[in-house]
Amino acid sequence: MGRALLSSSLFSPRLRIPAIRKSFSPNLTTKHALGFRTRAALSVSPTERRFPKISAESTGSIPPAELLKVVETAAQAGAEVVLEAVNKPRNISYKGMTDLVTDTDKQSESVILEVVNKNFEDHLILGEEGGLIGDSLSEYLWCIDPLDGTTNFAHGYPSFAVSVGVLFRGKPAAASVVEFVGGPMCWNTRIFSATSGGGAFCNGQKIHASQTDKVERSLLVTGFGYEHEDPWATNMNLFKEFTDVSRGVRRLGAASVDMCHVALGIVEAYWEYRLKPWDMAAGVLMVEEAGGAVTRMDGGKFTVFDRSVLVSNGVVHEQLLERIGPATEELKKKGIDFSLWFKPENYITDP
């Protein structure tokens, strides 16, 4: 493809965050916030509380290492395009009133597609910019976000990333996210990667979700879509409520980055309504392989085609669901659609 991969000198060498094991407390509501300090802890570890596994049981006929190599190569090829453009003027157009797209999004997706097609020409691909291409009968579906956090990129504001995830029979099998950190004139990157059953890594070092066991000691992250409808308003209320009972709630603007931060152990949880498969396919695998939990926002079993996601370190997951779950059920009662957002016709998925 005529493009060199990102130099390893761009990546910081030591990123693992040490985990500290703590006790578990299931309470959440605002009026009981003080109960986090006084209520007796239950002796439940994250490994003892099992949430439904969302990743693929295998990578199919392609060995994990081979699949991951192509995923990482594709993500890094896209990241090279972004790196070349990050300090240059932007050519911006709009998909909606505030929903941006730049030439860099399109160029990044083009080189990612080139890598995937060169290695697996019969695979199905879903890109944010180019839509669905390839063989719908393939067991593999690539979900590509060539520039997650375009608005941040357009303003030169971190965080944003290139995100590439591949599903095997509908479930995440391998993933890579190249996150841009720093700021104008001092941009740097770090690479997250994971395979189903193989663990999650940042710059080659294995990473783990945190062991923080109380919402009041947690740093949380959420996101808001471009459409200011009922789910947006509901999440604004959740933002306020969790701000009252936690160490804070951040809104960074790039779902793949937010989920990688959960996997890295620097925040405890992230949730959002109205995401798309390319927003989630890589990040959810990163969280699960780092020891965290992934569900829908109503607590149900998650798929990449769902319309909501909650990821956490696994320890505070139930506490978060005590408020997030009922709020989501209220949206369902209002008739808000929470059916699968999209699944390619004829694409076969495991139960």
Side-chain angles (χ1 to χ4, degrees):
M1 49 182 266
R3 287 183 176 270
L5 298 183
L6 292 177
S7 168
S8 60
S9 64
L10 293 172
F11 308 118
S12 60
R14 296 187 179 276
L15 294 166
R16 181 173 174 179
I17 307 300
I20 301 174
R21 184 173 295 278
K22 300 178 182 179
S23 58
F24 175 84
S25 174
N27 197 26
L28 175 60
T29 59
T30 302
K31 69 178 182 178
H32 292 130
L34 293 177
F36 290 140
R37 297 185 179 90
T38 59
R39 187 167 177 168
L42 299 176
S43 57
V44 178
S45 74
T47 56
E48 290 170 337
R49 171 59 175 99
R50 299 290 184 182
F51 292 93
K53 188 173 184 289
I54 58 94
S55 60
E57 294 297 326
S58 77
T59 57
S61 60
I62 305 171
E66 179 182 341
L67 189 62
L68 181 61
K69 182 179 180 180
V70 178
V71 172
E72 290 180 326
T73 300
Q76 290 178 62
E80 182 183 290
V81 171
V82 177
L83 187 65
E84 289 175 353
V86 72
N87 286 319
K88 297 177 181 178
R90 319 288 196 255
N91 185 6
I92 298 171
S93 56
Y94 291 84
K95 293 186 280 188
M97 183 175 294
T98 58
D99 190 1
L100 309 181
V101 62
T102 69
D103 286 345
T104 305
D105 295 69
K106 299 170 184 177
Q107 291 164 7
S108 173
E109 184 163 311
S110 178
V111 298
I112 292 170
L113 292 176
E114 187 177 344
V115 172
V116 177
N117 287 326
K118 179 180 178 180
N119 288 275
F120 304 117
E121 62 182 4
D122 58 337
H123 284 193
L124 187 62
I125 303 172
L126 177 63
E128 180 176 10
E129 305 308 326
L132 192 66
I133 59 174
D135 184 1
S136 64
L137 298 179
S138 173
E139 295 180 305
Y140 296 91
L141 173 63
W142 292 71
C143 298
I144 296 169
D145 195 335
L147 182 45
D148 186 14
T150 300
T151 299
N152 289 342
F153 166 80
H155 287 266
Y157 185 92
S159 53
F160 49 90
V162 174
S163 176
V164 178
V166 58
L167 313 182
F168 176 69
R169 298 182 67 88
K171 295 183 177 181
S176 184
V177 174
V178 181
E179 177 191 8
F180 285 75
V181 298
M185 308 308 162
C186 64
W187 290 108
N188 205 337
T189 55
R190 55 188 175 193
I191 299 178
F192 294 87
S193 61
T195 54
S196 179
F201 297 82
C202 181
N203 292 353
Q205 298 187 53
K206 195 165 187 177
I207 57 175
H208 303 276
S210 82
Q211 295 299 303
T212 300
D213 67 338
K214 294 179 173 62
V215 170
E216 67 168 6
R217 297 178 183 174
S218 297
L219 185 61
L220 309 174
V221 187
T222 189
F224 298 89
Y226 295 104
E227 296 180 3
H228 293 191
E229 52 186 358
D230 283 349
W232 185 93
T234 294
N235 201 33
M236 188 62 72
N237 289 333
L238 290 172
F239 184 99
K240 294 176 182 177
E241 292 186 32
F242 283 114
T243 298
D244 284 342
V245 299
S246 70
R247 286 184 174 171
V249 182
R250 304 290 185 255
R251 190 279 178 104
L252 304 180
S256 63
V257 172
D258 296 336
M259 287 187 268
C260 284
H261 288 181
V262 176
L264 191 58
I266 58 177
V267 299
E268 276 62 52
Y270 160 77
W271 69 88
E272 189 167 350
Y273 295 111
R274 300 300 201 219
L275 293 174
K276 304 296 191 297
W278 52 77
D279 296 311
M280 303 183 287
V284 292
L285 182 61
M286 224 71 68
V287 171
E288 185 166 276
E289 287 301 317
V294 183
T295 67
R296 299 191 311 246
M297 286 176 65
D298 62 3
K301 185 175 180 179
F302 170 85
T303 78
V304 168
F305 308 111
D306 274 307
R307 295 176 189 251
S308 73
V309 67
L310 167 62
V311 304
S312 79
N313 64 359
V315 195
V316 297
H317 206 90
E318 288 181 318
Q319 298 174 49
L320 297 168
L321 280 173
E322 286 184 22
R323 180 63 191 94
I324 292 174
T328 303
E329 292 298 338
E330 286 300 314
L331 287 173
K332 291 180 181 179
K333 291 177 183 179
K334 291 181 179 180
I336 302 300
D337 186 6
F338 279 94
S339 61
L340 295 183
W341 175 79
F342 171 81
K343 187 173 82 68
E345 186 177 0
N346 300 323
Y347 179 61
I348 300 172
T349 61
D350 286 333

